[in-house]
Amino acid sequence: MTSTVSPKRILDQPFVLDLFAGPGGLDVAGHSLGIPSLGIEWDKSACLTRYAAGLDTLHADVSTVRRDAFESLPPEINVLAGGPPCQTYSVAGKGAGRKALEEVKGFIERLMAGDPEEAIDKELKNLSDPRTALVLEPLRYAIQATRSPNRGRRPYDVIVLEQVPAVKALWDRYAEVLQDIGLPDGTKYKVVVDVLDTETYGVPQTRSRAVLIARREGLGEPALPRATHRAYEAKEWNRRNGGIPTQATLDEANTAEPPSQPAEGGDKPDHWVSMRDVLTERKTPFLVRSNYGSSGIPGRRGVRTDRQPAATVTGRISRFVVFEHLNDDIVYEGPRFSMNEAGMLQSFPPDYPWSGTAKAQQVGNAVPPLFGAHLLSAALGLPSPHPEAMRKPWVPATEEQRAKLRSHGCGAADDCTARCPRPE
C-alpha cells in the first residue's frame, strides 16, 4: 500500500533515534526534512565521518546502550529508525541469518510475550553468527521505551526500518505482533511492509530494500512512500561479451535508453535518475562493469552505460571498472569512482566529508539519504522530498563543533575513551 492522499503531518516535533546509524544516511535524510536525530554507531571510522558532517552521535554498541545507558537517551525521542547490519541476511554473505529466519521469528514472539531478557541473550549467543541477532534490536528498543522512567514509559510513536529483501519475512512477523499482540505494555501499531526499489525514488542506483513503517494506534494508517520514478529494467546487452565493453556495446547502450528526463503528463513517474545525471564532473560518456549481482538479481549485473542507474553500491564499489574511451573495439579503462562519486550514487551530497578508513564500506553500508527521506516523509505525513535537496552543498562541522560532538559521542574531544566499543 502506497500513499495516494495528501500528506498530513502526524507529529509536531519529530526526533529520530537512528540505530546502526553508519556514516549518516538516515540522519542526512532527517537534516533535509528539518528533523533532528541522534545516531548510535559502533564503527569508529563511520563516527569520524558523522562528526565531520556535524551529526549528533554516540560511538557505542546498540545492544550495550539498550542494556546499560537507555535512560541517558533524550526522552523527547519519538521516532525509532534504523537498518540493522545485513551481512548475515544478504545474498552476498554466507547466509547465516537467512538459515536462522524461523529461529529469529521465535525470539520475536518471546520478546513480545515478555520473556526474561537474560535468558534470551544467553540463547542468542548460540546463533552461528552473532550479527544475526541484531535485527531484533529495534523491537527490543521499542519494548524498552515502554519501561523507561526517563521517558515516562512512553512508547515510540513511529518506527521506520529497512534491510535487505531477505529480511522481509522478519518485518512481516514484526508487523503481525505489533498489530495483533502489541508490546508487553499493550501498545499496538498499524504497520505496512514491502520491498521497494531505490531507483523508483530518484536514487541513481538499483537497490532493493525490505522496509517497515509503523505508527502507534491513534496516529492514522501508515502508507509506503509513493514511487516518483520509473523502475529500471535490465537490457539483454548488459550481459554480453563476458562483461567486456566494446564500441558495439556502447552504440547499442546509447540507443537502448533515452536520456533521463521527466515523463510528461499528470502523475506519471519521472524517468529513473542515471549516473550521468549526478556525476556531472565526468564529461566523457562511460560504461561501468560490475562483477557481482545487484540485490540478488543476476539480471541486474554486468555492464551499464552512464545513462542508466548504477548497480547496487556496496563496500566493493572500488571494484567497479569504469571504461571511458572506446575506439575500434579497443577498450581503455578510465579512473574508478572516487568516494565522493560513490556517495553521490547513494544520493549523498557531493561534498559529504567521508573520513577515517574503510570509506568504501561506509558508503556501501549506508542507507541512501534520498530513499531515507522518502521513508521518513511517508511515516510522518510530510510531502515527498525533491532529489535536489540532497545535491545541495553540505556544510561540514567546524573544528570546535567536531570536538564537541566527539566529546559527546566518545567521551573526549580528541580521541576514543574506555566507553567506546573496542574493534574486536
Side-chain angles (χ1 to χ4, degrees), residues 384-395:
S384 297
H386 193 280
E388 291 300 324
M390 302 300 169
R391 299 179 194 171
K392 295 178 181 179
W394 187 266
V395 180

Side-chain angles (χ1 to χ4, degrees), residues 372-389:
H374 277 279
L375 295 180
L376 289 176
S377 295
L380 298 171
L382 302 175
S384 297
H386 193 280
E388 291 300 324

Side-chain angles (χ1 to χ4, degrees), residues 166-217:
V167 176
K168 181 179 181 295
L170 295 182
W171 290 167
D172 285 336
R173 190 61 187 138
Y174 261 51
E176 291 173 5
V177 296
L178 287 172
Q179 292 183 135
D180 301 335
I181 301 173
L183 301 178
D185 75 329
T187 299
K188 292 186 177 181
Y189 291 80
K190 298 292 186 180
V191 189
V192 288
V193 175
D194 206 349
V195 174
L196 305 179
D197 296 324
T198 59
E199 80 270 17
T200 65
Y201 297 94
V203 178
Q205 170 199 174
T206 53
R207 187 186 193 100
S208 299
R209 306 301 285 180
V211 303
L212 176 149
I213 295 177
R215 290 181 181 176
R216 186 171 51 80
E217 277 193 341

